[in-house]
Amino acid sequence: FKSSPTIVDGTVFVSNYSLYAFNAETGEQQWRYGADELFWVSPTVVDGIVFIGSEDGNVHAIDAEKPSPRWISDVSSSNSSSPIVADETVFVGGGQGKLYALNAETGQEEWAFETGDYIGSSPTVADGTVYIGSDDTNLYAVDAETGQQEWAFKTDKLVRSSPTVADGTVFIGSYDNN
């Protein structure tokens, strides 16, 4: 499997070409979704909905109990970024260098923030700010409600590491070995 597993209510959700749900106790496959898409990223599960991006440029919201889509949103870009959900918004980076905010209920785009290059980092949200790295060598802080850039931190090489925020400090790795 290519993704990291997500475990919620006794079910393991993991992707490898398709999205799978397994019983955490027995290992028995409960369902499989998306035979035609390529799912490489880790799924996020919130309020009984599995959110995951696919290589064909879509973000899927799938019922966690059965492989039935609630919505599919075309962000027209391969998704190498695992989605995160905060305050009823799905945040996900796209391969064309955009950070997207989608309404978690409908999949409608709320805003898109453009970086200068490919995004292989997954976003983190803390205190109303979305943090994400980009191959344009920056770590970005973006207002979660408006999509406006708060600040950017420049490194010497691309940033594919996913940020972590602790005690008001943002931690991220860069290909510059820092």
Side-chain angles (χ1 to χ4, degrees):
F1 285 93
K2 191 148 176 91
S3 79
S4 298
T6 300
I7 304 170
V8 176
D9 296 331
T11 301
V12 178
F13 300 93
V14 65
S15 67
N16 188 36
Y17 299 102
S18 297
L19 173 65
Y20 295 88
F22 295 98
N23 181 296
E25 190 172 311
T26 67
E28 179 182 343
Q29 181 178 315
Q30 296 173 328
W31 53 257
R32 175 181 171 213
Y33 172 82
D36 297 329
E37 295 87 2
L38 292 177
F39 295 105
W40 300 114
V41 300
S42 300
T44 297
V45 183
V46 176
D47 296 332
I49 302 173
V50 182
F51 299 93
I52 191 165
S54 61
E55 189 65 26
D56 64 0
N58 292 312
V59 176
H60 301 251
I62 304 148
D63 189 302
E65 295 294 319
K66 58 185 184 284
S68 173
R70 300 248 180 134
W71 53 258
I72 299 173
S73 182
D74 181 3
V75 295
S76 300
S77 175
S78 66
N79 290 296
S80 298
S81 173
S82 297
I84 189 165
V85 180
D87 297 324
E88 301 177 18
T89 302
V90 179
F91 299 97
V92 65
Q96 75 209 52
K98 289 185 179 177
L99 169 64
Y100 294 93
L102 307 173
N103 180 290
E105 184 68 30
T106 66
Q108 293 294 313
E109 184 179 307
E110 295 177 356
W111 53 257
F113 172 79
E114 191 163 346
T115 71
D117 206 337
Y118 177 86
I119 294 176
S121 172
S122 296
T124 296
V125 179
D127 299 322
T129 300
V130 185
Y131 302 93
I132 196 158
S134 172
D135 279 12
D136 71 0
T137 72
N138 287 295
L139 164 66
Y140 290 95
V142 178
D143 184 279
E145 189 173 320
T146 67
Q148 297 298 307
Q149 179 176 318
E150 295 177 359
W151 53 261
F153 177 79
K154 184 143 184 71
T155 69
D156 290 331
K157 302 242 177 155
L158 56 91
V159 180
R160 289 209 177 153
S161 170
S162 298
T164 296
V165 179
D167 297 326
T169 301
V170 183
F171 298 88
I172 195 158
S174 169
Y175 273 48
D176 66 5
N177 295 318
N178 291 299

